[in-house]
Amino acid sequence: MAVRWITGFLDSPGPEVEAFWVAVTGWELSARRDGGTFATLVPGDGDACLRVQVVGDGPARSHLDLHVDEVASAVARAVELGATVTVDRGDPVVLASPAGIVFCVVGWAGERRRPAPGRWAGGWHSVVDQWCLDVPEAVHAREVDFWAALTGWAVRPSDLPEFCHLERPEGMAVRLLVQRTGAAVAGVHVDFACDDVDAEVARHVGCGAVVVRRVPGDWTTLRDPAGREYCVTGRSPHPS
């Protein structure tokens, strides 16, 4: 199977937090769909890769949609590699990875243009460009193998031993980072890339985020108004 595009979903109990994500991304919220459940954050330049969903319960969380040419065969491949189908609506199909990370397989609608970084008043740039798979140590190696085989993306080491990333194809909007954690439960969170971490963090705090922890020179973990953690990182926001 070929993963043509990846969309990240911010799943929240209600829509109140969506204004925060509009502010920090600089993207516009689309008209709502499916009775108000779904909306898309639409970048000014490039194809959408971030959506919001009202799930009606907590905690606030995230999941990924993998866009493919043929859903049924991609689902079969995911199951062959160790995923479990939890909800089958034909398109989408909801699955869980071997470590329990929820993701959906959906049909590809031709997305191909990576969103351009936003430029802020102080002159720095930022963009949502990465999803981090947070995986307990006991199942980390199995999960890395699963995502590498499912996407067909090569695994690349990081400067830090607890991280590795999957090398995205040219034009793909988001990277996948895998983090080995001491937690008991696997999850996923979104990362921003920017060229001034301190300024970008201050901007997010001004929009309503709370700083959780700082790793000077590398990244800062924040919590959005719904309690969902995410990171602002010092990786270049400009496509390479």
Side-chain angles (χ1 to χ4, degrees), residues 196-215:
D196 188 331
V197 171
D198 290 341
E200 181 72 357
V201 167
R203 188 177 70 83
H204 286 230
V205 170
C207 292
V210 175
V211 172
V212 176
R213 67 186 70 86
R214 295 181 186 268
V215 180

Side-chain angles (χ1 to χ4, degrees), residues 1-8 27 40-41 43 45-51 64-69 104-116 128 151 153 168-174 176:
M1 67 177 261
V3 175
R4 300 292 193 176
W5 196 251
I6 293 180
T7 297
W27 298 345
T40 300
L41 287 163
D45 181 14
D47 290 322
C49 61
L50 185 63
R51 293 178 178 154
L64 301 178
D65 277 10
L66 307 184
H67 300 238
V68 300
D69 290 316
C104 296
V105 175
V106 303
W108 181 49
E111 301 94 339
R112 63 180 75 248
R113 295 186 305 123
R114 185 183 299 173
V128 166
T151 61
W153 300 1
R168 63 182 172 183
E170 181 69 27
M172 181 67 65
V174 297
L176 293 181

Side-chain angles (χ1 to χ4, degrees), residues 43-240:
D45 181 14
D47 290 322
C49 61
L50 185 63
R51 293 178 178 154
V52 293
Q53 178 179 199
V54 175
V55 293
D57 63 356
R61 51 198 183 268
S62 302
H63 78 267
L64 301 178
D65 277 10
L66 307 184
H67 300 238
V68 300
D69 290 316
E70 211 288 315
V71 172
S73 62
V75 169
R77 175 60 173 159
V79 170
E80 178 184 284
L81 292 170
T84 303
V85 173
T86 61
V87 180
D88 187 348
R89 297 191 179 98
D91 183 357
V93 178
V94 184
L95 302 99
S97 74
I101 292 175
V102 175
F103 67 100
C104 296
V105 175
V106 303
W108 181 49
E111 301 94 339
R112 63 180 75 248
R113 295 186 305 123
R114 185 183 299 173
R119 185 178 188 276
W120 304 103
W124 75 94
H125 302 79
S126 70
V127 68
V128 166
D129 81 329
Q130 181 169 272
W131 288 87
C132 183
L133 310 177
D134 303 311
V135 183
E137 183 169 8
V139 291
H140 175 263
R142 174 73 179 88
E143 194 74 358
V144 170
D145 289 345
F146 170 80
W147 286 97
L150 184 64
T151 61
W153 300 1
V155 179
R156 302 300 184 205
S158 168
D159 294 338
L160 299 173
E162 64 268 34
F163 293 103
C164 64
H165 74 269
L166 304 182
E167 188 169 340
R168 63 182 172 183
E170 181 69 27
M172 181 67 65
V174 297
R175 302 187 341 154
L176 293 181
L177 181 72
V178 187
Q179 176 179 204
R180 184 173 61 249
T181 74
V185 179
V188 59
H189 73 263
V190 66
D191 290 343
F192 286 73
C194 70
D195 43 26
D196 188 331
V197 171
D198 290 341
E200 181 72 357
V201 167
R203 188 177 70 83
H204 286 230
V205 170
C207 292
V210 175
V211 172
V212 176
R213 67 186 70 86
R214 295 181 186 268
V215 180
D218 287 315
W219 74 86
T220 296
T221 302
L222 300 104
R223 187 176 292 119
D224 78 2
R228 175 180 21 238
E229 290 192 1
Y230 68 100
C231 293
V232 168
T233 80
R235 290 175 299 100
S236 172
H238 302 287
S240 57

